[in-house]
Amino acid sequence: MTGITRALLLTFDDRHLREWAAAAPLLRRYGSRVTFFVCEPDRLDREDRRLLHRLADDGHTIGCHGLRHERAPDFIAAHGPAAYLRQEVLPALEELRRLGFAARTFAYPCSARDDTTDRLLLGLFERLRGGVPADRRADPSLADELHVPAAEVAGRRVLPGCSVDSGRGPLVYGGDLSGVEAAVRRSAEDGGVSTLYAHCVADAHEANHVTPARLERLLALADELSLPCAGFDELP
Ligand SMILES: [Zn+2]
């Protein structure tokens, strides 16, 4: 078995190629690799596609985040599992593969998932990213949920993530990340992985976003703890 079992897994969702590319030098400076989960891959323009290839060339993982960002359990309840795969998942996966990305992993839009969706998607992907409620991020006991012990990393196919976004539009989210930091420290001390997610990288944006300053704070914390930042494709 090869692969990284001690890491911070930073992930970024949706389709913010310009802003992600602008953050690439910061990631490079810390020697960090991350995962970008892309939705609406058919709506990437030529420049977006070029930037996505550059992110992949930097060693980042490119994963799938659905064609139209549908919430999996709701879509399946309304239209059934076959329609979910046919309309929402397979076209996104095929488009990413057509663009040259293996897209071996999937992040649930809005972290909405259940056992049925996991079973369905694990037929197509090696690993899925779910989520824990964002309001837990200030709770130090979050580490119990977020941290996956090293011995379990290879077998764990659904990784819970916690939001580290700074805000959305005029909304500013709480700056207390002590739960997140506790999980990162546990990975550094005991091994294992902790997964975080954000969306755009910007000081201000109408969509969910993490500020470059907060992103750097997380990268610096991992660096201080000698904890590598890795992409999903680097896991065993
Ligand atoms: Zn999303």
Side-chain angles (χ1 to χ4, degrees):
M1 181 183 79
T2 57
I4 290 181
T5 58
R6 177 180 174 277
L8 171 59
L9 303 173
L10 273 170
T11 66
F12 299 85
D13 292 1
D14 297 345
R15 199 158 59 81
H16 301 285
L17 270 302
R18 262 69 166 185
E19 293 85 354
W20 293 343
L26 174 63
L27 297 172
R28 218 175 289 133
R29 195 155 2 111
Y30 282 89
S32 301
R33 292 171 311 281
V34 304
T35 304
F36 296 100
F37 287 108
V38 178
C39 64
E40 302 181 312
D42 56 321
R43 291 177 175 168
L44 297 174
D45 63 24
R46 183 203 285 260
E47 176 64 3
D48 288 337
R49 296 195 295 266
R50 188 184 71 82
L51 294 173
L52 194 56
H53 278 287
R54 281 186 51 176
L55 292 171
D57 290 345
D58 275 358
H60 302 303
T61 294
I62 310 301
C64 182
H65 194 44
L67 188 69
R68 292 294 174 262
H69 207 267
E70 296 284 354
R71 296 167 60 97
D74 298 355
F75 194 99
I76 290 171
H79 307 289
Y84 175 64
L85 291 184
R86 191 175 62 240
Q87 292 176 41
E88 174 63 11
V89 181
L90 287 169
L93 184 56
E94 281 158 15
E95 181 62 14
L96 285 169
R97 295 199 170 147
R98 195 182 67 78
L99 295 174
F101 306 105
R104 293 155 48 195
T105 57
F106 179 90
Y108 281 108
C110 311
S111 300
R113 53 162 286 277
D114 56 32
D115 290 345
T116 304
T117 64
D118 288 351
R119 253 193 320 273
L120 198 59
L121 291 174
L122 285 173
L124 291 172
F125 298 99
E126 289 177 11
R127 219 173 234 108
L128 312 174
R129 198 207 68 216
V132 298
D135 58 7
R136 297 282 321 282
R137 65 195 196 178
D139 176 355
S141 74
L142 173 68
D144 297 333
E145 267 173 82
L146 207 57
H147 170 257
V148 176
E152 294 174 24
V153 172
R156 194 76 79 86
R157 296 291 150 191
V158 186
L159 296 177
C162 184
S163 163
V164 290
D165 278 324
S166 307
R168 176 166 60 90
L171 285 178
V172 177
Y173 303 148
D176 184 349
L177 297 184
S178 43
V180 164
E181 286 164 9
V184 173
R185 284 179 197 285
R186 193 174 297 176
S187 291
E189 284 159 19
D190 301 349
V193 301
S194 296
T195 305
L196 305 178
Y197 69 85
H199 295 80
C200 193
V201 182
D203 282 316
H205 199 279
E206 59 180 9
N208 273 309
H209 60 276
V210 62
T211 62
R214 175 175 290 181
L215 175 57
E216 177 151 21
R217 204 174 98 203
L218 291 164
L219 295 171
L221 174 65
D223 186 56
E224 198 181 288
L225 299 168
S226 302
L227 180 67
C229 287
F232 269 44
D233 284 353
E234 296 173 78
L235 298 175

